[in-house]
Amino acid sequence: MHRSAVAALDSLLGLPGDEHASFHPAALAELDRQEAFPDAACRVLDDFGLSAHYVPDAAGGRLTDYTELMSLLRTVARHDLTVAVGHGKTFLGAASVWVAGDDEQARELGGLVSSGAVASWGLTERDHGSDLLAGQVTAVRTVRGWTLNGEKWLINNATRGRLVCVLARTRPEGGPRGFSLFLVDKQRLADDAYTCLPRVPTHGIRGADISGIAFHDAEVPEGALVGEAGGGVETVLKALQLTRTTCAALSLGAADTALRLVTDYARGRRLYGRTLSDLPRIRRIVGEITASALLAEATGIMASRSVHTLTGEMSVTSAVAKALVPELVHHVLDRGAELLGVRSFLTETYADGVFAKLERDHRVVAIFDGNTAVNRNALIDQFPLLVAGYRRGRVDGAGVEAAARPGTPPPAFDRRRLALISQRGCSVVQSLPDTVARVRARAEAGLLPAAVAGLAERIGAEADALHQELGAQRRTARDVPPSAFALAERYELCYAAAACMLLWLHHDEALAQAQGGSGEPPAVWHDGLWVRACLSTVLTRLGHTLDAADAEVYDRLAEHTFDTAPPTLASAFGPAAVRSHA
């Protein structure tokens, strides 16, 4: 069912050159210049029913698969990040209720969101940023409920949204149990109980409603409390595991568009009597950034599936995805800009300025729901558990198996399994020794080039060495050594490599079983091409030098990017979900 939903949205929004009028690049570029919110485009998404996909089925919506949600938002982001951010923020605003709200509260919110009500997430404050325990907005219990006072700032959709999920201090001394969450319906507040703060101009997503809200003795009923009093920080941290993972959709959509623009330009631009796409250096760059995009996609797919299959490990998985996926796509954009040259900066002359807008807009993705440093710090906090899990070989085999099969329906998401820390560690990374052995076995059976097994073994050795270094790390509660952040980045890359190998193994095995070993896999799956390119990218980012043969894999990958369309993994899992965007 979700394949048809993604395909239907893709068809509605249209292919490049034949977009829905509200999604035409020139129209969206003009709104960006005016710093105007894309109301018409969001209405198209409302009419499609996208909002219902932000609501779990138990609350009356259509959300049963977080990979589907990622694919839907990726489709929107492929057309425009401002629209994706402005519309998709409602999921982020509602996620705390899906995590901790009671059934009645969830159903009521689900009905509002499904009918198009906009929600926002009131976490940050002007003087405290991501330091949630320093928040000064207060909620005081009264005989009729609670009274809110204070200001939340840099809140997406704070002005245009009807609902705001607010983190407020409920104990004067604060602390981890001193904050609670409240779902505030602005339509039920007195007119003088709140003030929407002025919209803040931004470098990217210029049309988004980045503003704030101030509460003045705002009375809300007892039913506005989300979860238990004092449980606000815990609920936020669990909800972030869902929202950080979903944010990968924004980056993946950006990568799709960047690759399309780059390949279109290279195919059409003539230099020295040849097109750019004929020049070996250009083909190498395109192959490299295609591999980075596929590496980001593999990470996002595995993370979104893990919401269902490895739920108790999402404190690790979501941090990995939120730190690594935007960084990989930043690389795609940076190298794409190098290839486009001055056209990457033009806001009107070339392709309606889509690339320049895309590059500006994507910078904010790494900031949403905790920046890269915040997410890497979340990994660092769990280094001891990650080391213990790796050394003891703790692997939820069934969970990893299910996560690596995106073409199959996932088990139902159980919010009760979310945890603040992953006691097991990270099964995907901890499965690396077995995964490498399986890749080696495929190579020994002649089903995979020996070079792929060689890359896998080098990554396995890197993971062994990394966990030795993780085990030697020493930190205090307040001071984190800078070296720990570099280790966290290396851990993310090991996760991405494991995700690529697992996805390839399971899909290759499924193809062999379905076709009796006689059919041909999609072109980029032949001889493990895409996984070889991705593993080469991981090793390069880990500081290894590739030999000429391994580096040439990028040239072969570029052939597929130029000759057909930039490859994606999503199109390989079951019926095609999207059409070619070349």
Side-chain angles (χ1 to χ4, degrees), residues 355-377:
F355 192 93
K357 180 179 184 303
L358 182 67
E359 196 275 337
R360 284 188 288 106
D361 289 351
H362 186 260
R363 290 183 181 275
V364 78
V365 175
I367 301 172
F368 281 152
D369 290 5
N371 60 29
T372 302
V374 168
N375 282 282
R376 286 187 174 149
N377 197 79

Side-chain angles (χ1 to χ4, degrees), residues 97 100-102 105 139 141 145-146 165-166 168 170 179-184 220-232:
V97 176
D102 61 37
Q105 191 176 48
R141 193 184 290 274
W146 299 81
C165 193
V166 179
T170 46
F179 292 81
S180 306
L181 277 168
F182 298 89
L183 183 63
V184 179
V220 298
E222 182 64 32
L225 179 67
V226 178
E228 62 179 19

Side-chain angles (χ1 to χ4, degrees), residues 17-360:
D18 189 29
E19 298 91 350
H20 189 287
S22 296
F23 281 83
H24 193 283
L28 293 169
E30 181 58 31
L31 290 174
D32 186 65
R33 283 189 285 273
Q34 297 174 7
E35 300 187 12
F37 189 84
D39 287 300
C42 285
R43 282 196 296 272
V44 171
L45 301 180
D46 286 341
D47 292 342
F48 173 80
L50 182 59
S51 297
H53 292 272
Y54 304 153
V55 179
D57 58 343
R62 300 177 184 172
L63 175 53
T64 58
D65 183 348
Y66 276 84
T67 308
E68 171 193 21
L69 176 59
M70 186 177 74
S71 297
L72 289 165
L73 285 174
R74 177 183 182 176
T75 301
V76 180
R78 187 182 298 131
H79 288 267
D80 189 72
L81 275 174
T82 302
V83 178
V85 169
H87 199 277
K89 185 65 180 183
T90 289
F91 170 73
L92 278 64
S96 295
V97 176
W98 311 148
V99 167
D102 61 37
D103 292 345
E104 181 180 354
Q105 191 176 48
R107 284 193 296 269
E108 181 178 359
L109 177 61
L112 290 172
V113 169
S114 294
S115 64
V118 175
S120 62
W121 209 2
L123 299 183
T124 57
E125 298 180 12
R126 193 180 301 268
D127 296 327
H128 308 299
S130 59
D131 185 0
L132 300 183
L133 294 181
Q136 294 179 320
V137 169
T138 62
V140 177
R141 193 184 290 274
T142 68
V143 294
R144 292 179 293 185
W146 299 81
T147 298
L148 273 61
N149 279 285
E151 176 186 293
K152 291 291 182 180
W153 185 71
L154 286 188
I155 306 303
N156 191 357
N157 285 339
T159 298
R160 63 182 294 269
R162 170 178 172 177
L163 302 150
V164 187
C165 193
V166 179
L167 181 67
R169 183 184 290 257
T170 46
R171 289 182 182 175
E173 70 275 17
R177 300 296 297 177
F179 292 81
S180 306
L181 277 168
F182 298 89
L183 183 63
V184 179
D185 187 341
K186 289 156 60 177
Q187 291 187 7
R188 298 178 183 177
L189 295 179
D191 291 342
D192 60 353
Y194 72 96
T195 303
C196 291
L197 305 179
R199 185 172 161 273
V200 180
T202 55
H203 177 67
I205 56 166
R206 292 176 175 172
D209 170 24
I210 308 297
S211 54
I213 186 169
F215 298 102
H216 321 291
D217 292 327
E219 296 184 359
V220 298
E222 182 64 32
L225 179 67
V226 178
E228 62 179 19
V233 172
E234 178 178 347
T235 296
V236 166
L237 293 175
K238 289 180 177 179
L240 283 169
Q241 295 172 23
L242 304 179
T243 63
R244 286 171 173 168
T245 304
T246 305
C247 278
L250 304 176
S251 292
L252 296 180
D256 291 339
T257 299
L259 279 171
R260 175 179 63 81
L261 291 170
V262 165
T263 53
D264 284 352
Y265 174 71
R267 280 192 290 247
R269 176 70 170 170
R270 298 193 66 81
L271 192 66
Y272 311 125
R274 295 186 292 177
T275 64
L276 283 183
S277 61
D278 292 327
L279 300 178
R281 177 59 183 158
I282 300 302
R283 297 182 78 82
R284 177 63 59 86
I285 292 174
V286 169
E288 289 173 348
I289 64 176
T290 300
S292 291
L294 290 169
L295 187 62
E297 184 178 15
T299 303
I301 289 173
M302 186 65 70
S304 63
R305 290 282 294 184
S306 295
V307 170
H308 301 269
T309 71
L310 297 166
T311 311
E313 301 180 12
M314 287 306 298
S315 60
V316 173
T317 306
S318 61
V320 166
K322 186 60 176 60
L324 183 61
V325 172
E327 189 168 283
L328 289 169
V329 175
H330 279 322
H331 174 72
V332 172
L333 292 167
D334 287 345
R335 298 303 302 279
E338 174 187 332
L339 193 152
L340 289 171
V342 69
R343 286 161 184 80
S344 68
F345 296 96
L346 299 178
T347 59
E348 298 181 26
T349 306
Y350 179 71
D352 298 303
V354 168
F355 192 93
K357 180 179 184 303
L358 182 67
E359 196 275 337
R360 284 188 288 106

Side-chain angles (χ1 to χ4, degrees), residues 537-555:
T537 299
V538 168
L539 285 169
T540 300
R541 294 183 74 92
L542 287 171
H544 293 245
T545 300
L546 300 178
D547 60 31
D550 284 330
E552 286 174 0
V553 72
Y554 296 125
D555 303 329

